[in-house]
Amino acid sequence: MMGIFFRWSMVILTMGVMDLVHADTYRPIEQAVAASDAAIADAQAKLKDACSLTDYVTAKRIVNGTNVWTAALQTALCEHEIVRIPADSVPYYIDATVVIPSNRRIEAEGATIALVQGTRVLMLRNENSPDGTLAPIRGGSRDRNISIVGGRWEDCERRRRGYGGTGRFDLGPRKVGGHFGVSTLFYFGNCDEVSIRNVTFVHTSGFSVQAGDGCRHLYENIRFEKCHADGLHLNGNLTDVHVRNARGQVGDDLVALNAYDWLNSSINFGPQKNILCEDLELVGGGYPAIRIQPAKYKYADGSIIDCAISDVIFRRVKGIMTFKMYLQTPRYRIGTKPEWSEVGTGGNLFFEDIDIDLRAPIDCMGQYKESEPRRGHFGAFEFGADLSSVHFRNIDITFHLDKYPLSHLAVVGPKSCFFPEKDGKTGMEIFDPYVSCHVGRVTVEGLKVHGVAPHELVRATVFDDINHDGHSSGRGVIEKLEVKP
């Protein structure tokens, strides 16, 4: 196999992966996240009042021969700052949502906490969780300082049930504005100083964790066993977030930074800033993607918010094939008007020490698999947003140009892929070919390529009414591309 190896020989500072050129933009992200971690630790250290869940054994119920601990756990959390769930070979079963007040910690090392079969609501959430779908969340009560440490947290399903099937906020009428977009095992919204550490999620049919509208979040030493949707699904209005050592099998994105999202999977819309994701690995199969989605979102009153994503580091990542940072609205029939949207913004994004085998397009649809000349280009990194800068460092990538000659390190611009006409109905467009966007600066350093490198390492895509519907022209622009040894 032929190989190309670009060796990085820039000046190294004591922080390890940072050169002098980018220190001013890189270091503040790490500093903000380190300060966030310290604030979380300080807040948790102040909690003293502790109890064991088994102190509330009289509050448990027996349902069809199963011990159900929902009321016991809820009461313990209402009365004590720290609730310890003792290790046991028998699961502690939960059959409804447990609401966690501020200034609390659950310690569950060695314990399994499982949803009772047929439970359709989520397992844990913070107390004050307003819905930000129709309008921004304005003031009011916020929660803070909540931590989950240890334990196996298990869904009752063994497959993905779809939005609204499981992981619901409640069992009220499912409508937009009524927590419609919550689909998860844990939910933390309108909540600061959240930490989830040393936790294993098992069989989650919705997201394992969904969060938004908060600052200072830490997700550390997370394991996913046969989970069926996103692992960590992080929505809008989040700042100072640290994801460290997350590993396992998920059916969708291992980590999703969805500042903008579809209505069926978010109630939090707004910017994200200062996010460090490190030591991530997808294992055991699943969907090898990480989603990063900025866009403009329109509230019910017509006001618009820019769900920008900026100051983000991804480093030491394995098992992921594509980082998806393009605008994607729900699919629509060609010739009809797609859902309203506008390209999002952001920048100062760093991707480093990442291993990628670009063995196939992440979207295994005809135009990509068949290398269709206009639509068939795809990348390990796909950008459809207005970004100030993107930095790649020490990317170890394998190309398979013999099978997919239109593959690239990165692609900037619109995407188009459609299902053809069927039963007399017009075909469906999957992506948004009208997207026009630009990236100010792209730097590539220390790239290691296995196989033959593509002629266009980084490609800007241009469509000119590609669907012949008057709504499918878009242009990607790269203002400056630097490839350094």
Side-chain angles (χ1 to χ4, degrees):
M1 177 177 286
M2 296 178 64
I4 298 176
F5 178 43
F6 299 100
R7 184 176 299 278
W8 177 41
S9 57
M10 302 299 290
V11 176
I12 305 295
L13 296 183
T14 56
M15 295 184 72
V17 292
M18 185 171 56
D19 64 46
L20 289 169
V21 176
H22 303 311
D24 289 342
T25 55
Y26 191 109
R27 184 184 293 116
I29 304 171
E30 289 195 321
Q31 291 175 334
V33 170
S36 170
D37 290 351
I40 291 170
D42 288 345
Q44 281 290 305
K46 295 175 182 177
L47 304 183
K48 304 297 182 184
D49 177 31
C51 73
S52 171
L53 178 60
T54 53
D55 295 341
Y56 290 82
V57 66
T58 57
K60 76 175 182 180
R61 297 181 299 120
I62 299 178
V63 180
N64 296 326
T66 299
N67 290 325
V68 178
W69 291 83
T70 311
L73 180 56
Q74 185 65 76
T75 304
L77 285 166
C78 288
E79 296 180 358
H80 298 276
E81 294 175 328
I82 302 169
V83 177
R84 298 187 174 114
I85 304 178
D88 200 320
S89 59
V90 177
Y92 297 85
Y93 283 99
I94 302 294
D95 66 349
T97 298
V98 175
V99 177
I100 308 175
S102 294
N103 299 307
R104 294 295 189 270
R105 180 167 70 248
I106 298 175
E107 298 177 358
E109 187 68 36
T112 296
I113 303 89
L115 286 179
V116 172
Q117 188 65 41
T119 304
R120 297 179 62 200
V121 293
L122 57 87
M123 182 184 284
L124 299 180
R125 69 169 174 89
N126 61 295
E127 187 173 18
N128 297 289
S129 306
D131 189 317
T133 305
L134 302 179
I137 295 171
R138 306 288 188 189
S141 298
R142 292 184 66 81
D143 292 318
R144 64 176 300 273
N145 192 23
I146 293 175
S147 182
I148 314 295
V149 181
R152 291 171 57 86
W153 301 82
E154 186 171 333
D155 202 338
C156 56
E157 296 291 338
R158 295 297 183 269
R159 62 186 176 92
R160 189 165 186 174
R161 291 294 303 269
Y163 302 118
T166 57
R168 295 172 55 140
F169 190 88
D170 55 37
L171 292 178
R174 191 168 182 261
K175 60 181 181 178
V176 174
H179 295 90
F180 177 80
V182 174
S183 178
T184 188
L185 194 69
F186 291 4
Y187 177 76
F188 295 100
N190 193 44
C191 190
D192 303 328
E193 288 102 41
V194 172
S195 58
I196 300 177
R197 298 184 294 113
N198 307 328
V199 161
T200 297
F201 292 100
V202 185
H203 299 301
T204 50
S205 54
F207 311 132
S208 296
V209 178
Q210 185 174 357
D213 282 295
C215 60
R216 297 179 296 280
H217 283 210
L218 171 63
Y219 305 95
E220 182 177 36
N221 300 332
I222 308 295
R223 296 294 178 265
F224 303 101
E225 293 186 7
K226 298 181 180 179
C227 294
H228 304 290
D230 290 356
L232 303 178
H233 186 86
L234 306 180
N235 291 133
N237 293 321
L238 279 177
T239 59
D240 302 339
V241 176
H242 194 181
V243 178
R244 179 166 57 195
N245 191 18
R247 183 176 186 271
Q249 182 181 17
V250 293
D252 209 332
D253 303 311
L254 182 64
V255 175
L257 303 184
N258 283 21
Y260 160 87
D261 209 343
W262 296 355
L263 291 176
N264 61 6
S265 48
S266 181
I267 60 171
N268 317 106
F269 303 89
Q272 296 180 346
K273 184 178 177 63
N274 291 334
I275 299 178
L276 171 58
C277 300
E278 56 186 347
D279 300 306
L280 313 180
E281 186 174 9
L282 180 72
V283 296
Y287 186 63
I290 283 177
R291 181 57 135 157
I292 308 167
Q293 184 157 283
K296 304 285 189 359
Y297 178 76
K298 184 184 289 186
Y299 288 108
D301 65 359
S303 61
I304 295 170
I305 185 171
D306 184 2
C307 306
I309 298 180
S310 56
D311 300 320
V312 175
I313 302 170
F314 277 90
R315 65 187 178 203
R316 297 189 298 276
V317 180
K318 295 181 178 180
I320 298 300
M321 195 162 63
T322 301
F323 289 76
K324 306 185 298 181
M325 196 174 182
Y326 48 81
L327 175 65
Q328 185 175 5
T329 59
R331 66 183 184 175
Y332 61 95
R333 207 163 287 284
I334 295 173
T336 65
K337 197 170 183 179
E339 180 180 285
W340 182 92
S341 65
E342 287 186 2
V343 167
T345 64
N348 200 31
L349 309 175
F350 295 84
F351 301 92
E352 57 191 30
D353 299 318
I354 295 174
D355 296 342
I356 293 177
D357 184 350
L358 198 58
R359 59 190 178 275
I362 190 72
D363 305 302
C364 291
M365 292 175 277
Q367 287 83 0
Y368 296 108
K369 291 193 296 184
E370 297 163 11
S371 299
E372 197 270 325
R374 294 182 300 167
R375 307 175 199 259
H377 294 268
F378 65 93
F381 300 85
E382 299 191 334
F383 300 104
D386 290 333
L387 306 172
S388 60
S389 60
V390 178
H391 311 274
F392 300 108
R393 181 177 292 127
N394 297 343
I395 308 297
D396 188 316
I397 184 168
T398 300
F399 289 105
H400 300 267
L401 297 190
D402 55 332
K403 294 182 179 179
Y404 299 105
L406 303 185
S407 53
H408 309 269
L409 172 66
V411 176
V412 176
K415 289 167 62 72
S416 176
C417 193
F418 65 89
F419 293 133
E421 294 185 14
K422 185 176 181 181
D423 299 328
K425 294 183 178 180
T426 307
M428 300 290 293
E429 173 63 69
I430 308 302
F431 297 111
D432 299 276
Y434 51 83
V435 164
S436 287
C437 62
H438 73 272
V439 178
R441 179 185 181 189
V442 178
T443 60
V444 182
E445 304 177 47
L447 181 69
K448 184 176 181 180
V449 174
H450 302 278
V452 178
H455 174 68
E456 287 183 291
L457 193 64
V458 180
R459 174 185 170 82
T461 298
V462 176
F463 291 153
D464 183 11
D465 199 18
I466 196 166
N467 287 334
H468 308 292
D469 62 352
H471 193 75
S472 53
S473 297
R475 174 178 294 270
V477 175
I478 303 168
E479 295 181 8
K480 186 176 183 179
L481 171 62
E482 299 176 275
V483 180
K484 303 178 182 181

